[in-house]
Structures are given as C-alpha cells and as structure tokens.
C-alpha cells in the first residue's frame, strides 16, 4: 500500500517530454492542472464495480495538492455522482475546487456547488438496454456477464464470466453492431465493453478543461484503453507548447498505456505516492 504521508521523492520521468512537463508543473504549480482517471487509477479494479472505492490515501493526498495548483479534475466513464460517492470527494477539505467530469465529460460535478450538469440522455441508450439481454443470450454470454446501467450509457462486464477474456472478445462484434444500429459507439476497457453516445471521450474532456482553465502545464494519469484519448490530447497540447506529463497507473492487463507513458507507477498506491510527493514538492506555492 502506498504512503499517504508523501515521504517519497517525485519520481523522474523516463522521457525528455515528461521531464519537461514535470518541471513546468513544479516550476509554476498555480498554472498547472492534474487530470485523473478513477477506476484503476484512484481506485483498485475490483470484480464488482459497485464495490470500487478510492484508495484510502487518495483524498488526503489530493486535499494537500489541490490548493497548491490551478485545478484537479477527475475524468471518468462513470456517472459523475457515482465517482463522487465512491471517491469520497464531497465536502473533503481542500477539494472545494475539484471538478469531476463523468461519462467521459458529458457530465460535470463541481465541488463548489455540489451539483451535476448533464445533457438529456441519448435515446439509443434505452433501446440498447432493452435489446442487450437477448444479444448476450444469443452469443452464449449471459452466464457471468453483468450489465451496468450508467444512465447515459450502458456497460457489459465480463470479469465474472468463466472465461472473461474469451467472452469479452466474443461480444466485441455483436455489441459493436448493436451500438451502431442505435447511433452509439463502443468503448472497450479492462474486461468491459461500454455502449455510449459518440462525440465525447477523455481527450475531448481534458482538452476542453485545459482551455477553460488556461492551464500552462498538465499531468494526466490513467490505466485503461479509454485513457489513450487523454494521452493523445496531452501529446497534441505539447505540440502547441503546453508541457505535459503522462502517467500510467501500472497494469499487466493494459500495456498500450505503459508504452506511451512518461512515468509508470504501481497502481493506485503508486498514484497516491506521486500525488503526495508533488504536494510536498510544491509545498509553499499558492494556486
């Protein structure tokens, strides 16, 4: 388990672009933002997604870091309100400026108001939900698979199936066809296939947030395929002159992210250690 006390030094990124991003964050923390995925980054991946909770050191570390930088945003595929509840973010000391961008940025929760702003649900989501049980049955995947109603999206989890990876692969094509029929797209993750409206991803959400905050440096930490869009967004921002640091919350299930990252840490405990070390390193600075 990681230390919530933040006694660790800030680890050195393995790339020059990452080192430049870290230097910019440490040099002018009041102009830097930190973007964080939730599941697998702030919270351990668990067989039942309803049981996911933020690492016990996450809120204490964020409470120390957030007041010392421009902003912290949690960007997640979960509904914003669920991430807030499972994260324990509401009312936490030092997190009054926290923003949670839920459903890949379609929803926004602000700690200041405690309210969620969200668009009307896409009609295709209800249609897909109605058809999903029959599609799973048809492809022999009903046993052990689990459907999660996200309100504005629906996810099919295969982690509890007898052969999770084989079930995941078997469902890819039929779920893509189902989503396409109703104007949705499929977002694959770690043994989960999510059917959701097009037009929003973590890259769009992160880029928009960087623009709105006027940030001059950005750190993004994630662990899953859905985070690749955010990684790509940071790479584009670097080309525009905004330094960035890409952090992978280490996972043996997803190697693509580790290959693209400037820094790989040991799961949520490693993310907590990094946040604590950053808070120590920018100690006297004000946002």
């Amino acid at each position: 388990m990681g230390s919530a006390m933040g006694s660790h030094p800030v680890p050195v990124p393995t790339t020059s672009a990452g080192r430049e991003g870290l230097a910019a964050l440490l040099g002018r923390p009041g102009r830097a933002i930190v973007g964080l995925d939730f599941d697998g980054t702030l919270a351990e991946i668990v067989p039942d997604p309803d049981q996911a909770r933020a690492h016990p050191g996450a809120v204490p570390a964020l409470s120390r870091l957030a007041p010392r930088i421009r902003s912290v945003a949690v960007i997640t595929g979960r509904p914003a309100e669920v991430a807030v509840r499972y994260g324990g973010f509401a009312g936490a000391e030092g997190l009054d400026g926290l923003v949670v961008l839920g459903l890949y940025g379609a929803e926004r929760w602000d700690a200041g108001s405690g309210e969620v702003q969200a668009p009307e649900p896409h009609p295709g989501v209800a249609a897909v939900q109605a058809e999903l049980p029959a599609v799973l049955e048809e492809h022999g995947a009903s046993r052990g698979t689990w459907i999660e109603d996200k309100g504005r999206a629906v996810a099919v989890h295969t982690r509890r199936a007898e052969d999770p990876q084989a079930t995941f692969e078997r469902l890819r094509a039929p779920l893509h066809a189902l989503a396409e029929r109703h104007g949705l797209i499929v977002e694959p993750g770690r043994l989960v296939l999510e059917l959701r409206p097009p037009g929003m991803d973590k890259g769009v959400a992160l880029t928009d947030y960087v623009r709105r905050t006027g940030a001059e440096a950005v750190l993004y930490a994630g662990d899953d395929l859905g985070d690749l869009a955010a990684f790509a967004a940071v790479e584009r921002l670097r080309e525009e002159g905004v330094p960035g640091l890409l952090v992978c919350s280490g996972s043996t299930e997803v190697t693509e992210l580790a290959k693209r990252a400037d820094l790989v840490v040991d799961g949520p405990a490693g993310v907590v250690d990094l946040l604590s070390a950053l808070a120590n390193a920018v100690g006297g600075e004000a946002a």
Side-chain angles (χ1 to χ4, degrees):
M1 235 174 156
S3 164
M5 301 305 292
S7 57
H8 298 256
V10 179
V12 179
T14 57
T15 66
S16 57
R19 291 190 289 275
E20 185 182 335
L22 177 61
L25 189 156
L26 296 179
R28 305 176 85 179
R31 303 199 174 178
I33 69 162
V34 168
L36 300 157
D37 169 46
F38 186 73
D39 291 279
T41 301
L42 289 178
E44 294 287 352
I45 295 287
V46 292
D48 181 353
D50 287 342
Q51 299 305 309
R53 296 295 182 270
H55 184 285
V59 167
L62 287 171
S63 293
R64 293 177 56 237
L65 178 62
R68 298 167 177 168
I69 63 175
R70 172 68 55 90
S71 180
V72 172
V74 175
I75 307 176
T76 174
R78 286 188 183 268
E81 188 272 333
V82 173
V84 170
R85 193 165 72 246
Y86 291 179
F89 301 133
E93 185 180 352
L95 296 188
D96 44 337
L98 179 74
V99 169
V100 175
L101 302 174
L103 296 178
Y104 303 92
E107 294 184 341
R108 176 185 169 122
W109 176 87
D110 287 273
S113 67
E115 295 176 359
V116 174
Q117 297 174 319
E120 286 298 309
H122 188 290
V125 175
V128 157
Q129 268 192 312
E131 292 182 33
L132 255 180
V135 171
L136 297 183
E137 186 79 34
E138 180 186 345
H139 293 275
S142 54
R143 184 169 182 174
T145 54
W146 181 73
I147 299 171
E148 179 186 5
D149 178 4
K150 291 189 168 188
R152 290 173 176 81
V154 59
V156 176
H157 297 264
T158 68
R159 193 171 288 273
R160 298 181 197 165
E162 287 177 12
D163 190 335
Q165 190 62 42
T167 305
F168 175 86
E169 296 299 340
R170 193 161 68 244
L171 288 176
R172 271 180 179 265
L175 292 189
H176 271 280
L178 175 62
E180 195 173 332
R181 205 156 61 241
H182 295 290
L184 304 181
I185 61 169
V186 176
E187 182 82 48
R190 289 164 71 176
L191 300 177
V192 60
L193 292 157
E194 181 167 318
L195 292 76
R196 63 179 178 84
M200 282 306 292
D201 62 33
K202 290 183 180 182
V204 174
L206 181 62
T207 302
D208 179 60
Y209 196 68
V210 167
R211 304 255 193 262
R212 278 191 284 121
T213 56
E216 295 176 10
V218 56
L219 178 155
Y220 183 80
D223 76 306
D224 204 349
L225 295 172
D227 296 303
L228 285 171
F231 271 38
V234 172
E235 289 163 354
R236 284 192 298 271
L237 286 163
R238 284 170 170 171
E239 292 171 4
E240 297 173 16
V242 179
L245 174 60
L246 294 170
V247 178
C248 175
S249 177
S251 162
T252 55
E253 290 182 8
V254 180
T255 56
E256 293 95 324
L257 229 60
K259 291 173 186 170
R260 294 267 290 272
D262 306 304
L263 184 63
V264 179
V265 299
D266 187 16
V271 172
V272 167
D273 284 340
L274 173 62
L275 296 172
S276 296
L278 289 172
N280 287 345
V282 298
E285 298 287 344

